Amino acid sequence: MYDFAYHKPSSLADAVKLLAEDPDAKPISGGMTLLPALKHRLNMPTALIDLSGIAELRGIKREGDAIVIGAMVKHFEVATDPQIMAAIPALARMAATIGDTQVRNRGTIGGSLANNDPAADYPAAALALGATLITDRRQIPADDFFVGMFTTAMEPGELLIGVSFPIPEKAGYAKLRNPASRYSMTGVFVAKGPKGVGVGVNGAASCAFRQKEMEAALAANWSPEAVANIRQPANDLNSDIHGSAEYRANLVTVMAKRAVADAG
Amino acid sequence: MPQVTLTVNGKSHTVEVEARTLLVEVLREKLRLTGTHVGCDTSQCGACVVQMGEDSVKSCTILAVQADGAQVTTIEGLAAADGTLHPMQEAFREYHALQCGFCTPGMVMSAIDLVKKHPQGLSEQEIREGLEGNICRCTGYHNIVKAIAAAADVMQGRTPELARAG
Ligand SMILES: Cc1cc2nc3c(=O)[nH]c(=O)nc-3n(C[C@H](O)[C@H](O)[C@H](O)COP(=O)(O)OP(=O)(O)OC[C@H]3O[C@@H](n4cnc5c(N)ncnc54)[C@H](O)[C@@H]3O)c2cc1C
Ligand code: FES
Ligand code: FES
């Protein structure tokens, strides 16, 4: 790791200011992704801005028909929070499958969403549930937030402060884990909610995406059979030593069926 | 250089570090607590697990500066002053839950956190899933799982039958 300066601001305003003053500074939340990247010298920030001292980024609350989760909320908290377990149990169950206990004890929902790893779990849930990403300067619908591999709509220096998930009528999630890395090979999150039916897919392509053909089929008939014959085109899917694009395309259908069954 | 203050195994230490210094480097190199191991250095293997505050964490993936002010317990902090082993250590010995011993400090630290977070006791499945972040190249995990089940019974005041049955 190259050395860097370290700051731990205690307010959001101070964090935003530090990031604005130094374009080569980077925020750090759980560090579960950033520190391994720094060890590989993939990144050379001049300073790390530790977000763990900022109260505005914590907390889980119900606001009307939505659950709002602060960016610094850890995976472990999402997995075990009574409000989330009651309102969006599929999201809590998803969080319980991220990495391992120690990763869940440090890694945060904000870090995961901001990082937008193609195989990360949460982006599929954000897309399917029609979440809104809240930053220090605006609100971004999930559909516009995840723009590509490890890329989001956020500008340099922009901080994610939380995410608002509309509470669905039902939701479910299923993924096939890579047996070695345990990251999702392909995962599908389905939700039926105030904004209609959402189907979010992770792990299969360079960025999480919505499967709209499945959404239409499930809107007409909410059952695993409704998606059983829908084939995801393999053209834009990932092909690597773990599985071909065709294999992943098939997994989209299989995981979608399981996710609907999971939602009940 | 940044200064950090850590309470490690009940004793307060103030050390000078670089911002990039890892918690595990402070433990091993500055405090000479070499029971905490580094297996992978990429947050995969769990050999470096320590207790920090309420949670078990991988000390290879935390900066010392992030741990400033924290209470840390390492494998060295488990046994009583007179040498009496912690029930988890005792169970690892009793059930032969180690071969080379490299993974053992991390296993024991993860296992204690796992038991604490399941006050009603745990199933074999929950123990196996709870060890997802700890890799052992020697034992095949079987005796580790038995040891944790037995230690959980002792720590939670039940008669240790579950493990012996297996
Ligand atoms: C062994 C292992 C297994 C894992 N398995 C999984 C898995 O199965 N599924 C999964 O989804 N993830 C997995 N992860 C990743 C894990 O979920 C990370 O916690 C997460 O991707 C990043 O969150 P973090 O809080 O650690 O972020 P950090 O590592 O601190 O930051 C990640 C990136 O986001 C930026 N950032 C952080 N917070 C903000 C913010 N508030 N605003 C703007 N930018 C920000 C940082 O600058 C950095 O670029 C795994 C990680 C490990 C080490
Ligand atoms: S050395 Fe920390 S997880 Fe392997
Ligand atoms: S006992 Fe050798 S690695 Fe576990």
Side-chain angles (χ1 to χ4, degrees):
Chain A
M1 244 190 292
Y2 298 107
D3 205 14
F4 39 76
Y6 172 83
H7 304 285
K8 190 173 171 183
S10 51
S11 76
L12 184 61
D14 286 348
V16 171
K17 187 158 161 269
L18 284 163
L19 286 166
E21 281 166 4
D22 179 358
D24 295 319
K26 253 184 168 304
I28 179 165
S29 38
M32 291 294 108
T33 295
L34 185 56
L35 290 177
L38 294 183
K39 287 184 185 182
H40 286 117
R41 297 190 168 181
L42 295 174
N43 237 304
M44 210 176 121
T46 46
L48 292 188
I49 315 299
D50 186 344
L51 305 181
S52 69
I54 305 174
E56 293 114 298
L57 303 182
R58 294 181 184 284
I60 298 166
K61 47 186 191 285
R62 187 171 172 146
E63 278 181 10
D65 293 329
I67 292 281
V68 183
I69 306 178
M72 279 304 291
V73 170
K74 293 168 184 161
H75 307 326
F76 174 76
E77 297 171 78
V78 175
T80 54
D81 179 75
Q83 286 187 91
I84 300 179
M85 286 163 80
I88 323 180
L91 188 67
R93 288 200 298 275
M94 166 186 263
T97 69
I98 297 175
D100 54 52
T101 306
Q102 290 74 33
V103 168
R104 295 193 289 276
N105 282 344
R106 296 287 297 168
T108 66
I109 190 167
S112 178
L113 291 165
N115 193 51
N116 194 19
D117 186 313
D121 288 284
Y122 288 130
L127 288 170
L129 290 163
T132 303
L133 289 293
I134 305 153
T135 79
D136 63 291
R137 59 200 74 168
R138 57 191 168 139
Q139 304 215 342
I140 310 175
D143 279 338
D144 301 332
F145 185 81
F146 305 105
V147 295
M149 187 154 130
F150 295 108
T151 314
T152 70
M154 284 193 295
E155 291 156 6
E158 188 166 0
L159 267 183
L160 186 61
I161 61 176
V163 51
S164 170
F165 291 102
I167 296 171
E169 204 182 299
K170 343 172 130 184
Y173 181 56
K175 67 174 164 180
L176 183 80
R177 299 180 107 185
N178 179 305
S181 76
R182 312 295 285 152
Y183 268 91
S184 165
M185 290 275 291
T186 291
V188 178
F189 195 100
V190 297
K192 185 176 181 185
K195 296 189 183 172
V197 170
V199 176
V201 181
N202 62 34
S206 58
C207 181
F209 63 92
R210 279 174 63 185
Q211 221 298 356
K212 298 203 172 162
E213 203 184 335
M214 290 183 177
E215 291 178 356
L218 288 171
N221 169 19
W222 182 269
S223 74
E225 295 73 47
V227 292
N229 293 318
I230 298 179
R231 296 268 153 263
Q232 165 70 35
N235 318 1
D236 295 327
L237 300 192
N238 299 337
S239 227
D240 54 32
I241 52 165
H242 307 297
S244 63
E246 290 72 24
Y247 178 69
R248 284 190 168 84
N250 186 54
L251 280 181
V252 173
T253 307
V254 176
M255 293 304 132
K257 279 197 308 197
R258 289 187 192 170
V260 178
D262 178 57
Chain B
M1 283 223 283
Q3 263 199 352
V4 299
T5 300
L6 300 168
T7 305
V8 182
N9 302 331
K11 210 169 134 206
S12 174
H13 300 270
T14 299
V15 289
E16 288 214 332
V17 296
E18 290 182 304
R20 64 177 165 180
T21 304
L22 300 168
L23 174 59
V24 71
E25 291 171 335
V26 171
L27 296 174
R28 288 180 56 87
E29 291 162 27
K30 301 239 181 214
L31 307 182
R32 306 306 292 168
L33 293 169
T34 53
T36 302
H37 293 165
V38 178
C40 65
D41 201 22
T42 56
S43 53
Q44 310 284 328
C45 75
C48 65
V49 171
V50 299
Q51 186 82 13
M52 185 169 116
E54 294 298 300
D55 298 317
S56 59
V57 298
K58 290 178 171 171
S59 62
C60 75
T61 312
I62 297 183
L63 300 169
V65 286
Q66 289 177 290
D68 189 22
Q71 300 271 346
V72 176
T73 306
T74 69
I75 190 77
E76 289 91 344
L78 294 182
D82 67 358
T84 309
L85 295 180
H86 183 282
M88 189 62 73
Q89 292 173 303
E90 187 56 45
F92 267 62
R93 188 172 70 164
E94 168 84 12
Y95 288 86
H96 194 57
L98 59 146
Q99 289 181 26
C100 78
F102 190 84
C103 70
T104 311
M107 284 286 178
V108 168
M109 297 313 293
S110 289
I112 291 173
D113 187 36
L114 183 65
V115 171
K116 280 196 192 144
K117 300 243 164 93
H118 291 81
Q120 320 308 338
L122 326 84
S123 66
E124 182 190 329
Q125 182 68 18
E126 283 171 320
I127 296 175
R128 289 187 184 275
E129 282 171 10
L131 292 182
E132 175 124 33
N134 292 81
I135 294 174
C136 176
R137 300 309 303 265
C138 303
T139 64
Y141 302 96
H142 208 62
N143 288 355
I144 296 176
V145 175
K146 283 190 194 171
I148 295 171
D153 286 342
V154 174
M155 289 167 68
Q156 297 171 339
R158 290 180 301 268
T159 350
E161 278 175 309
L162 183 74
R164 286 169 205 276

